Amino acid sequence: MNSRELSWELLILDASPPVKDLSSLAVGDVDGDGKVEIVTAGNGALLWYRPDTFERGVICKGHHGDVGLTLEDLDGDGIMEVVEAELDNERKTWMITWFKPGRDLHKPWTRYTIDSSCTGDPHDLLFVDLDGDGEKELVANAAYTEVWGVFVYKRNRELTTPWRKYTIQTGFAEEGLAVADLDGDGRLEIVSGPDWYSCPPDGAFSGPWERKVFAPNFREMVRVVSADVTGNGRPDVIIVESEYPDGRMSWFENLLVEDPKKSWAEHEIDRGLYFAHSLGVGYNSDSGKVRVFLAEMAKGGWDAPYNWDARLIEYSTLDDGKSWQREVLYQGAGTHQAVEYDVDGDGTYEVVGKEWGQALKIPKVQIWKRHRIPSPLTRFRHRFLDRDKPYTGTDILATDVDGDGRLDVVCGAWWYKNPTWQRYDIPGIYQVVNAFDIDGDGRKEFLATKRSSTSSSDWYEGLSSKLCWLRPVNPEKGEWEEYPIGSGTGDWPHGTAIAPVLPGKKLALIVSYHSVNEGKSDFPEIFEIPENPKNHPWPKRVLAEILHGEEIVPCDIDGDGKIDLVAGSYWLENLGNGNFCPHLIVDDFKTARLRVTDVNGNGRPDVILGEEVLDFQNRITPFSRLAWFENPSNPRSGPWKMHVIDKIRCPHSLDVGDLDGDGQKEIVCGEHDPFKPYRSRCRLFIYKKAEPQGRAWFRYLVDDRFEHHDGTKIFEVSPGRSGIISHGWKDSRYLHLWEAY
């Protein structure tokens, strides 16, 4: 990754639109206010977004797309209408319709029909004046049907009635549309896929168009654009194979005047392109030469493998197409039908796109913007604190172990001294799960579990819920004082918290157990910490009869001055008498990790949850939700409103903190994939709010090599310098530090 790539920021405008997929996209001003809207559609709805204010809305529900979407001022009022492909589910017939809004985009739009019965799915739509009468016609191609073809629609005197339809061709499978006067005769030709069609001598609607092939070695599913690459005044054609993992891109030099028998000369630009379903062309403002924009999908159709390295690429030529320079604008996020557009009116173009998402159910709306100076959130340097950790740690934390004022790192049965990061054993225990000043001496002790008595050599069989706490004496020499606590009901602690939640603000230890995730009713438990914590066993009881086996976070949720507990999909109201009443935050959301923070700045603590979705039968990790839940004025009135930040693989590591020093907290999240050790391509992301309400988020990729489990904890490595520590479940030998620089 180079500095030029880092200067492009990815904004996730909507991580969870109300659709099964997003197939089409267009950008323009649809309400005449001089600002840009994004219109996108798929199976579920036709949607609009206003990036300037982060507003959004539904134009029409139903099955919309497949790629066929464009904006055009049909009625001459200076405002763009939305023209799109739509499926009539009752008749199982595709239509072409157009929509006009009123002054308020949130109110119902008026819908009109151009064609109520297309021969197939209108894959590409393009407006152009084919017959020279000053009025644009609609060119459309039909795809994925028994009757492929290219058609032209000409409006009637009454715009709102169905338009007249003319056939350019039927029977040839083609995707991609462009229109230009290729042969210089004053009439426009149509480029459709690897073919082009010449207008009849007596006019566009006088008879059949003649089909000719300009790219005989290209497959039928392509994107095409026309541009004068050579600078001789005639349009050439640029083409890329768009639905293949091994696509090629070439430009075809227009030689129709020089040599009509050999009228097109191919010049290859690139190959090995992965589902390059976005293609655009422009001219360099400095040189006046052609530049080409291309974007790859992360996952194409036909069960194609996922492309973790999907790219946005810009190609430019300074010598009229003899050679091309390639610049990777961004790598690591795929998109579909993306376009370059100056969204914010600052004179430079952004890239607007969306993930197709049908196969993985992760459609999202995206904007990429270039910045002169890379964000500090992209500037982290990785190092291994350990590459030979003896077995998996269930937790990782940063705490001052030796009392020197620096935060050290603790994982499993070891601690790592800052800044040398030398590893030291913590004798007698198996897993450290928390750190807290239990005895009130001003120095944190460790809460830990003992190794199971099983004789198995499998590290996992060593996990237990036999709890103890450790007081450091001389940790570098392995000297600790150990005191027993007692045993929990579940198999092993997967979440712990220590807080003054009992009457009189007495301390308690709260523990949730992993066995809940295996279908057992091992409810979370609360251990009362005695006045003298050396006394044991600590009294325990069930905290609440909720099926939660992950992280627990103390926080005053309802603002009554008592510390409540957040446990995944629930928050537990502290009744003040030692009892806790569960209230639902969200239904049907299996929580992995959580954090509590005021996301929208209204003074109430919101809850951020990472969702765990693992398919053990097929041994795959589907994409799942990273979301925050808005604390309502009455938090007991759940469920809370959900705002999806992103959809990634099992966000099982989560933290919040101010990493760039601007006073606002960012979210750090790591992916977990237990099925593919050392080759999972799991990613570590930082998310930053794009606007105060938390409706859209910038996403920064920190690393894409390592798996994370109960990791990605933020801490201060040294005064004023942030770091992120993490570890994995399968990548068990590794202990990571990403340090800001």
Side-chain angles (χ1 to χ4, degrees):
M1 186 175 291
N2 60 48
S3 60
R4 299 203 72 178
E5 291 169 339
L6 291 174
S7 66
W8 283 82
E9 290 183 339
L10 168 60
L11 167 65
I12 300 175
L13 190 62
D14 189 353
S16 188
V19 293
K20 294 180 180 179
D21 60 42
L22 285 176
S23 301
S24 55
L25 179 139
V27 183
D29 180 7
V30 298
D31 59 359
D33 65 352
K35 297 181 180 179
V36 170
E37 282 79 40
I38 298 168
V39 181
T40 183
N43 188 354
L46 174 64
L47 308 167
W48 65 268
Y49 295 85
R50 185 177 285 152
D52 181 58
T53 62
F54 297 94
E55 295 174 86
R56 61 189 66 171
V58 176
I59 299 172
C60 181
K61 294 182 179 180
H63 191 160
H64 302 263
D66 180 20
V67 181
L69 174 65
T70 189
L71 305 181
E72 183 67 26
D73 179 12
L74 297 178
D75 55 10
D77 64 354
I79 301 174
M80 296 287 189
E81 282 76 48
V82 176
V83 184
E84 55 103 40
E86 182 179 351
L87 180 65
D88 185 326
N89 284 312
E90 292 185 2
R91 297 187 298 129
K92 303 300 180 185
T93 301
W94 281 98
M95 306 179 290
I96 300 176
T97 56
W98 64 279
F99 291 83
K100 186 173 183 63
R103 292 186 176 182
D104 186 350
L105 297 186
H106 293 279
K107 293 183 178 179
W109 294 43
T110 305
R111 176 178 174 275
Y112 302 99
T113 300
I114 291 177
D115 186 353
S116 62
S117 185
C118 299
T119 59
D121 179 357
H123 192 273
D124 300 292
L125 302 178
L126 182 65
F127 277 94
V128 65
D129 183 5
L130 281 179
D131 56 5
D133 66 352
E135 227 173 41
K136 290 183 179 179
E137 287 74 45
L138 173 63
V139 184
N141 60 11
Y144 305 109
T145 178
E146 293 182 1
V147 185
W148 291 64
V150 180
F151 306 92
V152 175
Y153 295 88
K154 187 169 182 62
R155 67 186 71 189
N156 295 306
R157 185 182 300 274
E158 178 56 50
L159 179 64
T160 58
T161 61
W163 295 17
R164 289 169 286 164
K165 183 177 181 180
Y166 299 88
T167 300
I168 301 298
Q169 68 91 356
T170 57
F172 297 102
E174 300 162 351
E175 284 185 19
L177 274 180
V179 175
D181 181 4
L182 299 176
D183 55 10
D185 65 354
R187 295 191 296 265
L188 296 175
E189 283 73 46
I190 296 174
V191 179
S192 178
D195 307 328
W196 67 284
Y197 296 85
S198 59
C199 181
D202 294 330
F205 308 111
S206 64
W209 291 51
E210 183 181 359
R211 174 179 178 262
K212 303 173 185 178
V213 180
F214 75 92
N217 60 340
F218 272 72
R219 289 169 281 196
E220 75 281 3
M221 291 183 284
V222 299
R223 301 283 86 197
V224 293
V225 292
S226 64
D228 181 8
V229 177
T230 62
N232 65 0
R234 283 200 309 278
D236 308 295
V237 178
I238 303 166
I239 183 171
V240 62
E241 293 175 313
S242 58
E243 298 284 0
Y244 311 94
D246 53 0
R248 297 173 60 245
M249 179 169 67
S250 295
W251 73 277
F252 282 80
E253 185 177 358
N254 185 344
L255 300 174
L256 287 168
V257 174
E258 290 85 351
D259 189 353
K261 294 182 179 179
K262 297 180 180 179
S263 51
W264 297 96
E266 180 182 2
H267 306 275
E268 184 174 288
I269 299 174
D270 207 352
R271 60 173 56 216
L273 297 166
Y274 189 95
F275 287 84
H277 207 290
S278 302
L279 184 67
V281 65
Y283 292 89
N284 188 292
S285 58
D286 297 326
S287 66
K289 300 298 184 180
V290 168
R291 59 175 178 81
V292 177
F293 165 74
L294 177 146
E296 297 176 312
M297 296 170 63
K299 184 173 176 62
W302 301 282
D303 199 27
Y306 196 86
N307 178 20
W308 303 106
D309 298 311
R311 300 166 294 176
L312 307 182
I313 308 175
E314 189 170 274
Y315 301 86
S316 57
T317 178
L318 296 175
D319 54 11
D320 301 328
K322 296 182 179 65
S323 63
W324 293 82
Q325 293 73 49
R326 183 178 72 178
E327 179 188 353
V328 176
L329 307 181
Y330 193 94
Q331 183 168 318
T335 192
H336 176 265
Q337 203 63 14
V339 298
E340 292 180 318
Y341 203 99
D342 182 7
V343 174
D344 53 12
D346 66 351
T348 60
Y349 63 85
E350 287 74 44
V351 175
V352 183
K354 42 78 183 176
E355 284 208 58
W356 177 51
Q358 186 176 32
L360 295 174
K361 299 180 181 179
I362 53 167
K364 61 186 70 168
V365 184
Q366 313 148 311
I367 299 176
W368 285 265
K369 182 173 177 60
R370 187 196 290 270
H371 291 273
R372 290 182 179 273
I373 301 175
S375 167
L377 299 177
T378 64
R379 299 171 66 179
F380 283 84
R381 183 178 292 111
H382 173 266
R383 66 175 293 178
F384 288 107
L385 299 188
D386 201 341
R387 287 180 294 188
D388 298 289
K389 186 160 56 68
Y391 56 83
T392 300
T394 59
D395 290 274
I396 189 171
L397 55 145
T399 187
D400 183 3
V401 177
D402 53 5
D404 66 354
R406 291 177 178 267
L407 294 178
D408 309 298
V409 175
V410 183
C411 187
W414 308 276
W415 70 279
Y416 300 79
K417 181 176 174 61
N418 185 351
T420 64
W421 306 114
Q422 181 178 344
R423 186 176 78 192
Y424 294 90
D425 292 339
I426 305 172
I429 59 97
Y430 198 57
Q431 297 282 346
V432 173
V433 295
N434 210 325
F436 196 88
D437 182 8
I438 294 172
D439 58 8
D441 66 352
R443 188 170 174 183
K444 288 186 177 181
E445 289 78 40
F446 285 168
L447 186 80
T449 60
K450 304 286 286 184
R451 183 178 173 85
S452 170
S453 59
T454 179
S455 60
S456 172
S457 60
D458 182 359
W459 80 270
Y460 187 82
E461 296 299 322
L463 295 174
S464 80
S465 60
K466 186 177 180 180
L467 296 160
C468 66
W469 65 279
L470 302 172
R471 182 176 177 273
V473 178
N474 191 335
E476 291 183 62
K477 293 185 177 181
E479 297 176 7
W480 300 75
E481 293 177 0
E482 180 184 318
Y483 302 96
I485 293 174
S487 293
T489 302
D491 55 354
W492 53 273
H494 205 15
T496 63
I498 303 173
V501 296
L502 295 176
K505 296 187 177 181
K506 291 184 62 177
L507 283 176
L509 163 67
I510 302 97
V511 182
S512 65
Y513 301 103
H514 176 266
S515 45
V516 168
N517 297 325
E518 297 176 345
K520 299 180 181 179
S521 297
D522 293 334
F523 302 124
E525 294 179 313
I526 184 168
F527 292 75
E528 181 179 339
I529 300 179
E531 292 293 336
N532 181 359
K534 296 179 183 179
N535 295 334
H536 72 281
W538 294 0
K540 73 167 184 177
R541 57 183 168 80
V542 170
L543 173 69
E545 292 188 356
I546 59 172
L547 295 176
H548 176 69
E550 295 279 350
E551 200 162 23
I552 293 178
V553 174
C555 180
D556 182 4
I557 290 294
D558 55 4
D560 66 354
K562 297 188 294 291
I563 296 180
D564 310 300
L565 299 168
V566 181
S569 299
Y570 299 90
W571 74 276
L572 307 178
E573 181 182 2
N574 189 340
L575 301 179
N577 58 3
N579 295 314
F580 296 83
C581 178
H583 301 282
L584 191 69
I585 294 175
V586 57
D587 195 12
D588 192 26
F589 195 106
K590 187 177 185 297
T591 303
R593 296 283 101 177
L594 71 93
R595 283 294 179 267
V596 179
T597 189
D598 181 7
V599 175
N600 57 8
N602 66 358
R604 295 193 294 266
D606 306 302
V607 175
I608 305 169
L609 299 180
E611 184 179 31
E612 178 178 352
V613 179
L614 297 171
D615 184 347
F616 285 93
Q617 181 176 355
N618 297 303
R619 298 188 63 78
I620 59 174
T621 304
F623 284 74
S624 53
R625 294 168 289 186
L626 171 65
W628 71 276
F629 296 82
E630 186 175 347
N631 188 346
S633 57
N634 178 11
R636 300 169 187 82
S637 63
W640 298 8
K641 184 178 181 180
M642 177 172 64
H643 304 267
V644 178
I645 299 168
D646 200 0
K647 291 182 180 179
I648 59 177
R649 285 174 297 165
C650 194
H652 212 296
S653 296
L654 184 64
D655 206 358
V656 296
D658 182 7
L659 287 166
D660 57 5
D662 67 350
Q664 299 292 321
K665 290 182 179 180
E666 288 78 45
I667 298 172
V668 177
C669 186
E671 292 182 310
H672 169 55
D673 187 344
F675 306 119
K676 298 176 181 177
Y678 303 106
R679 52 190 174 86
S680 64
R681 293 297 303 274
C682 283
R683 298 166 294 177
L684 170 59
F685 292 121
I686 297 174
Y687 296 89
K688 186 176 185 64
K689 285 192 299 183
E691 52 87 40
Q693 297 300 311
R695 292 173 292 181
W697 296 77
F698 289 106
R699 187 178 85 179
Y700 301 92
L701 176 65
V702 179
D703 209 327
D704 63 353
R705 297 176 290 167
F706 308 112
E707 180 244 348
H708 305 268
H709 185 269
D710 295 0
T712 67
K713 304 291 180 61
I714 300 171
F715 77 116
E716 191 173 52
V717 182
S718 58
R721 180 179 296 151
S722 297
I724 303 168
I725 49 173
S726 194
H727 63 144
W729 186 259
K730 286 295 186 180
D731 291 350
S732 58
R733 290 183 173 272
Y734 298 152
L735 196 68
H736 308 282
L737 167 63
W738 287 268
E739 190 171 358
Y741 66 91

